[in-house]
Amino acid sequence: MASAPTRRGSKSLPPNLSELMKDLNGHTASFIVGFDHRESTMRKIIEEFAEISKEVRDMQWQTDTVRTGVVATGLLGAVGAAVVALGFIAAPLTGGSSLAAAAVGTVALVGANVRKTTKESESVKKVEELGKQFMETVEPLKKILEGIQTTCEKLEQKKTEAQAEDTLLKVEEFKITLTRVSELGKRTGEVLDVAVTVMERINNLLKLFLVFFSVSATPEQDRKLRESIIQSADQCQNVTDNFDKMKEELKDFRKLQTVRRATV
Protein backbone atom coordinates (compact mmCIF):
# COMPACT_ATOMS: atom_id res chain seq x y z
CA MET A 1 0.00 0.00 0.00
CA ALA A 2 1.46 3.34 -1.09
CA SER A 3 2.10 5.86 1.63
CA ALA A 4 -0.11 8.88 1.64
CA PRO A 5 1.52 12.04 0.29
CA THR A 6 2.57 14.56 2.84
CA ARG A 7 -0.06 17.26 3.23
CA ARG A 8 0.99 20.85 2.70
CA GLY A 9 0.72 22.52 6.06
CA SER A 10 1.40 19.33 8.04
CA LYS A 11 3.65 20.13 10.95
CA SER A 12 6.24 17.43 10.30
CA LEU A 13 9.44 17.66 8.33
CA PRO A 14 10.03 15.37 5.35
CA PRO A 15 11.93 12.22 6.50
CA ASN A 16 15.24 13.22 4.90
CA LEU A 17 15.22 16.62 6.61
CA SER A 18 13.99 15.17 9.88
CA GLU A 19 16.87 12.70 10.08
CA LEU A 20 19.45 15.39 9.32
CA MET A 21 17.95 17.68 11.96
CA LYS A 22 18.26 14.84 14.44
CA ASP A 23 21.94 14.46 13.53
CA LEU A 24 22.48 18.21 13.84
CA ASN A 25 20.91 18.32 17.28
CA GLY A 26 23.12 15.44 18.34
CA HIS A 27 26.26 17.26 17.18
CA THR A 28 25.25 20.50 18.89
CA ALA A 29 24.63 18.69 22.18
CA SER A 30 28.02 16.96 21.91
CA PHE A 31 29.84 20.26 21.38
CA ILE A 32 28.12 21.97 24.31
CA VAL A 33 28.93 19.11 26.68
CA GLY A 34 32.43 18.65 25.23
CA PHE A 35 33.39 22.30 25.57
CA ASP A 36 32.00 22.52 29.11
CA HIS A 37 34.16 19.53 29.99
CA ARG A 38 37.33 20.95 28.41
CA GLU A 39 37.00 24.69 28.96
CA SER A 40 38.80 24.78 32.31
CA THR A 41 41.76 22.86 30.82
CA MET A 42 41.94 25.24 27.85
CA ARG A 43 41.89 28.34 30.05
CA LYS A 44 44.52 26.85 32.36
CA ILE A 45 46.79 26.32 29.35
CA ILE A 46 46.20 29.94 28.30
CA GLU A 47 47.23 31.18 31.76
CA GLU A 48 50.44 29.17 31.65
CA PHE A 49 51.18 30.38 28.12
CA ALA A 50 50.68 33.98 29.23
CA GLU A 51 53.03 33.51 32.18
CA ILE A 52 55.76 32.05 29.98
CA SER A 53 55.25 34.80 27.39
CA LYS A 54 55.86 37.41 30.08
CA GLU A 55 59.03 35.62 31.18
CA VAL A 56 60.32 35.52 27.60
CA ARG A 57 59.66 39.25 27.19
CA ASP A 58 61.40 40.03 30.49
CA MET A 59 64.43 37.88 29.65
CA GLN A 60 64.80 39.52 26.26
CA TRP A 61 64.56 42.99 27.80
CA GLN A 62 67.21 42.19 30.39
CA THR A 63 69.59 40.81 27.79
CA ASP A 64 69.05 43.76 25.45
CA THR A 65 69.68 46.17 28.33
CA VAL A 66 72.99 44.49 29.21
CA ARG A 67 73.95 44.31 25.54
CA THR A 68 73.31 48.04 25.09
CA GLY A 69 75.52 48.80 28.09
CA VAL A 70 78.30 46.58 26.76
CA VAL A 71 78.22 48.23 23.35
CA ALA A 72 78.49 51.70 24.93
CA THR A 73 81.30 50.61 27.27
CA GLY A 74 83.12 48.87 24.45
CA LEU A 75 83.03 52.02 22.33
CA LEU A 76 84.35 54.07 25.24
CA GLY A 77 87.17 51.58 25.73
CA ALA A 78 88.06 51.64 22.05
CA VAL A 79 88.12 55.45 21.99
CA GLY A 80 90.22 55.57 25.16
CA ALA A 81 92.72 53.09 23.74
CA ALA A 82 93.00 55.07 20.51
CA VAL A 83 93.60 58.30 22.39
CA VAL A 84 96.33 56.70 24.49
CA ALA A 85 97.94 55.22 21.39
CA LEU A 86 98.08 58.66 19.77
CA GLY A 87 99.74 60.14 22.86
CA PHE A 88 97.05 62.71 23.59
CA ILE A 89 96.69 61.38 27.15
CA ALA A 90 99.78 60.77 29.20
CA ALA A 91 98.19 58.47 31.76
CA PRO A 92 97.50 55.06 30.16
CA LEU A 93 95.30 54.19 33.12
CA THR A 94 92.33 55.90 31.52
CA GLY A 95 92.32 53.71 28.45
CA GLY A 96 93.15 50.66 30.51
CA SER A 97 90.26 51.34 32.85
CA SER A 98 87.88 51.72 29.93
CA LEU A 99 89.06 48.47 28.41
CA ALA A 100 88.69 46.75 31.75
CA ALA A 101 85.15 48.10 32.05
CA ALA A 102 84.36 46.78 28.57
CA ALA A 103 85.70 43.39 29.58
CA VAL A 104 83.51 43.37 32.69
CA GLY A 105 80.53 44.36 30.57
CA THR A 106 81.24 41.53 28.15
CA VAL A 107 81.31 39.07 31.03
CA ALA A 108 77.96 40.48 32.19
CA LEU A 109 76.53 39.97 28.70
CA VAL A 110 77.78 36.40 28.54
CA GLY A 111 76.25 35.75 31.96
CA ALA A 112 72.95 37.28 30.89
CA ASN A 113 72.93 35.21 27.72
CA VAL A 114 73.64 32.01 29.66
CA ARG A 115 70.80 32.72 32.09
CA LYS A 116 68.51 33.64 29.21
CA THR A 117 69.38 30.51 27.21
CA THR A 118 68.88 28.25 30.23
CA LYS A 119 65.54 29.84 31.07
CA GLU A 120 64.43 29.78 27.45
CA SER A 121 65.24 26.08 27.24
CA GLU A 122 63.00 25.47 30.24
CA SER A 123 60.28 27.68 28.75
CA VAL A 124 60.48 25.97 25.38
CA LYS A 125 60.04 22.54 26.94
CA LYS A 126 57.02 23.76 28.89
CA VAL A 127 55.52 25.45 25.83
CA GLU A 128 55.99 22.23 23.87
CA GLU A 129 53.99 20.36 26.49
CA LEU A 130 51.29 23.04 26.57
CA GLY A 131 51.07 23.19 22.77
CA LYS A 132 50.56 19.44 22.47
CA GLN A 133 48.04 19.45 25.30
CA PHE A 134 46.04 22.29 23.74
CA MET A 135 45.91 20.58 20.35
CA GLU A 136 44.79 17.30 21.95
CA THR A 137 42.09 19.18 23.87
CA VAL A 138 40.81 21.10 20.83
CA GLU A 139 40.89 18.25 18.29
CA PRO A 140 37.70 16.44 19.51
CA LEU A 141 35.78 19.73 19.53
CA LYS A 142 37.08 20.55 16.07
CA LYS A 143 35.77 17.20 14.78
CA ILE A 144 32.33 17.92 16.24
CA LEU A 145 32.29 21.32 14.53
CA GLU A 146 33.18 19.62 11.26
CA GLY A 147 30.20 17.33 11.81
CA ILE A 148 27.94 20.34 12.41
CA GLN A 149 29.21 22.07 9.29
CA THR A 150 28.77 18.97 7.12
CA THR A 151 25.24 18.37 8.42
CA CYS A 152 24.28 22.01 7.82
CA GLU A 153 25.57 21.72 4.25
CA LYS A 154 23.50 18.57 3.70
CA LEU A 155 20.41 20.29 5.11
CA GLU A 156 20.98 23.21 2.77
CA GLN A 157 21.22 20.82 -0.16
CA LYS A 158 18.08 18.91 0.84
CA LYS A 159 16.21 22.16 1.40
CA THR A 160 17.12 23.31 -2.10
CA GLU A 161 16.01 19.99 -3.57
CA ALA A 162 12.72 20.09 -1.66
CA GLN A 163 12.06 23.65 -2.79
CA ALA A 164 12.76 22.68 -6.40
CA GLU A 165 10.28 19.79 -6.11
CA ASP A 166 7.83 22.01 -4.22
CA THR A 167 7.63 19.40 -1.46
CA LEU A 168 9.04 21.46 1.41
CA LEU A 169 6.22 22.27 3.75
CA LYS A 170 5.40 25.92 3.96
CA VAL A 171 5.25 26.14 7.74
CA GLU A 172 6.73 29.25 9.29
CA GLU A 173 8.56 27.37 12.08
CA PHE A 174 10.41 25.27 9.52
CA LYS A 175 11.39 28.31 7.49
CA ILE A 176 12.88 29.92 10.58
CA THR A 177 14.67 26.72 11.56
CA LEU A 178 16.23 26.18 8.14
CA THR A 179 17.26 29.83 7.96
CA ARG A 180 19.02 29.39 11.27
CA VAL A 181 20.67 26.24 9.92
CA SER A 182 22.17 28.30 7.11
CA GLU A 183 23.46 30.90 9.58
CA LEU A 184 24.77 28.17 11.86
CA GLY A 185 26.67 26.52 9.02
CA LYS A 186 28.34 29.80 8.11
CA ARG A 187 29.25 30.59 11.71
CA THR A 188 30.62 27.10 12.30
CA GLY A 189 32.84 27.51 9.25
CA GLU A 190 34.26 30.75 10.68
CA VAL A 191 35.01 29.16 14.06
CA LEU A 192 36.59 26.16 12.34
CA ASP A 193 38.85 28.47 10.32
CA VAL A 194 40.09 30.10 13.53
CA ALA A 195 40.73 26.73 15.18
CA VAL A 196 42.52 25.28 12.15
CA THR A 197 44.69 28.38 11.73
CA VAL A 198 45.77 28.40 15.38
CA MET A 199 46.44 24.67 15.42
CA GLU A 200 48.63 25.08 12.33
CA ARG A 201 50.55 27.87 14.08
CA ILE A 202 51.05 25.75 17.18
CA ASN A 203 52.21 22.88 14.99
CA ASN A 204 54.73 25.22 13.33
CA LEU A 205 55.84 26.32 16.80
CA LEU A 206 56.49 22.70 17.74
CA LYS A 207 58.63 22.34 14.61
CA LEU A 208 60.68 25.38 15.65
CA PHE A 209 61.59 23.56 18.86
CA LEU A 210 63.57 21.02 16.85
CA VAL A 211 65.63 23.87 15.41
CA PHE A 212 66.01 25.59 18.78
CA PHE A 213 67.62 22.54 20.34
CA SER A 214 69.90 21.96 17.37
CA VAL A 215 73.35 23.50 16.90
CA SER A 216 72.20 25.07 13.63
CA ALA A 217 69.73 27.49 15.23
CA THR A 218 70.28 31.04 13.94
CA PRO A 219 69.48 34.35 15.70
CA GLU A 220 66.61 34.80 13.25
CA GLN A 221 65.18 31.38 14.14
CA ASP A 222 65.56 32.19 17.84
CA ARG A 223 63.67 35.45 17.26
CA LYS A 224 60.84 33.61 15.48
CA LEU A 225 60.64 31.13 18.31
CA ARG A 226 60.37 33.88 20.93
CA GLU A 227 57.70 35.68 18.93
CA SER A 228 55.74 32.46 18.47
CA ILE A 229 55.85 31.73 22.20
CA ILE A 230 54.67 35.27 23.00
CA GLN A 231 51.79 34.96 20.50
CA SER A 232 50.70 31.53 21.76
CA ALA A 233 48.63 32.81 24.67
CA ASP A 234 46.64 35.19 22.42
CA GLN A 235 46.12 32.50 19.78
CA CYS A 236 44.83 29.96 22.29
CA GLN A 237 42.65 32.65 23.87
CA ASN A 238 41.14 33.38 20.46
CA VAL A 239 40.17 29.75 19.91
CA THR A 240 38.70 29.38 23.40
CA ASP A 241 36.67 32.59 23.13
CA ASN A 242 35.29 31.54 19.74
CA PHE A 243 34.36 28.11 21.10
CA ASP A 244 32.62 29.77 24.05
CA LYS A 245 30.56 31.98 21.72
CA MET A 246 29.83 28.96 19.52
CA LYS A 247 28.50 27.08 22.54
CA GLU A 248 26.08 29.92 23.34
CA GLU A 249 24.89 30.08 19.73
CA LEU A 250 24.30 26.33 19.71
CA LYS A 251 22.34 26.58 22.96
CA ASP A 252 20.14 29.25 21.36
CA PHE A 253 19.67 27.02 18.32
CA ARG A 254 18.61 24.11 20.50
CA LYS A 255 16.11 26.33 22.35
CA LEU A 256 14.58 27.16 18.99
CA GLN A 257 14.19 23.45 18.28
CA THR A 258 12.54 22.90 21.65
CA VAL A 259 10.03 25.67 20.97
CA ARG A 260 9.31 24.30 17.49
CA ARG A 261 8.73 20.76 18.78
CA ALA A 262 6.39 22.11 21.46
CA THR A 263 4.20 23.63 18.78
CA VAL A 264 3.99 20.46 16.71
Side-chain angles (χ1 to χ4, degrees), residues 12-28:
S12 62
L13 282 170
N16 53 358
L17 288 174
S18 179
E19 191 63 31
L20 286 171
M21 285 301 302
K22 182 179 177 181
D23 291 343
L24 181 58
N25 286 325
H27 288 315
T28 58

Side-chain angles (χ1 to χ4, degrees), residues 124-140:
V124 164
K125 290 177 182 177
K126 183 60 179 177
V127 168
E128 184 176 18
E129 294 173 7
L130 292 173
K132 290 178 179 178
Q133 185 181 3
F134 191 80
M135 291 179 70
E136 290 171 0
T137 304
V138 169
E139 184 61 32

Side-chain angles (χ1 to χ4, degrees), residues 184-225:
L184 185 62
K186 180 180 179 181
R187 176 64 181 140
T188 303
E190 294 171 350
V191 175
L192 264 174
D193 287 343
V194 172
V196 170
T197 299
V198 171
M199 291 177 76
E200 286 176 352
R201 288 178 179 173
I202 292 177
N203 191 48
N204 290 335
L205 175 60
L206 296 178
K207 291 178 181 177
L208 281 175
F209 294 155
L210 299 176
V211 178
F212 178 83
F213 287 115
S214 71
V215 295
S216 61
T218 65
E220 176 63 16
Q221 289 167 332
D222 285 343
R223 181 188 63 78
K224 287 182 179 180
L225 178 62

Side-chain angles (χ1 to χ4, degrees), residues 19-222:
E19 191 63 31
L20 286 171
M21 285 301 302
K22 182 179 177 181
D23 291 343
L24 181 58
N25 286 325
H27 288 315
T28 58
S30 295
F31 185 87
I32 292 168
V33 173
F35 180 70
D36 281 342
H37 179 68
R38 294 172 175 82
E39 182 179 9
S40 60
T41 298
M42 294 171 70
R43 296 202 182 279
K44 176 65 175 173
I45 292 172
I46 292 169
E47 290 176 4
E48 294 191 49
F49 264 135
E51 184 177 341
I52 293 173
S53 297
K54 183 179 182 303
E55 290 176 353
V56 170
R57 285 191 182 96
D58 291 345
M59 284 186 292
Q60 187 59 49
W61 179 84
Q62 290 169 6
T63 303
D64 290 344
T65 300
V66 173
R67 181 179 291 112
T68 301
V70 170
V71 170
T73 305
L75 287 174
L76 177 59
V79 171
V83 170
V84 171
L86 290 173
F88 286 113
I89 296 180
L93 180 59
T94 303
S97 298
S98 298
L99 291 173
V104 171
T106 302
V107 171
L109 175 59
V110 171
N113 279 334
V114 169
R115 289 192 298 274
K116 175 174 170 291
T117 302
T118 301
K119 189 63 178 177
E120 273 190 349
S121 296
E122 295 172 356
S123 297
V124 164
K125 290 177 182 177
K126 183 60 179 177
V127 168
E128 184 176 18
E129 294 173 7
L130 292 173
K132 290 178 179 178
Q133 185 181 3
F134 191 80
M135 291 179 70
E136 290 171 0
T137 304
V138 169
E139 184 61 32
L141 297 173
K142 174 175 162 289
K143 287 185 180 298
I144 297 173
L145 287 177
E146 289 170 349
I148 292 175
Q149 185 182 43
T150 299
T151 306
C152 286
E153 290 173 352
K154 289 180 179 179
L155 276 164
E156 282 286 291
Q157 181 181 353
K158 293 296 182 183
K159 181 185 74 172
T160 302
E161 292 172 359
Q163 286 175 329
E165 297 170 2
D166 197 30
T167 58
L168 183 63
L169 306 183
K170 300 186 182 303
V171 178
E172 192 62 28
E173 297 96 306
F174 297 157
K175 290 181 181 180
I176 295 173
T177 296
L178 294 175
T179 298
R180 290 294 301 273
V181 166
S182 178
E183 296 170 353
L184 185 62
K186 180 180 179 181
R187 176 64 181 140
T188 303
E190 294 171 350
V191 175
L192 264 174
D193 287 343
V194 172
V196 170
T197 299
V198 171
M199 291 177 76
E200 286 176 352
R201 288 178 179 173
I202 292 177
N203 191 48
N204 290 335
L205 175 60
L206 296 178
K207 291 178 181 177
L208 281 175
F209 294 155
L210 299 176
V211 178
F212 178 83
F213 287 115
S214 71
V215 295
S216 61
T218 65
E220 176 63 16
Q221 289 167 332
D222 285 343

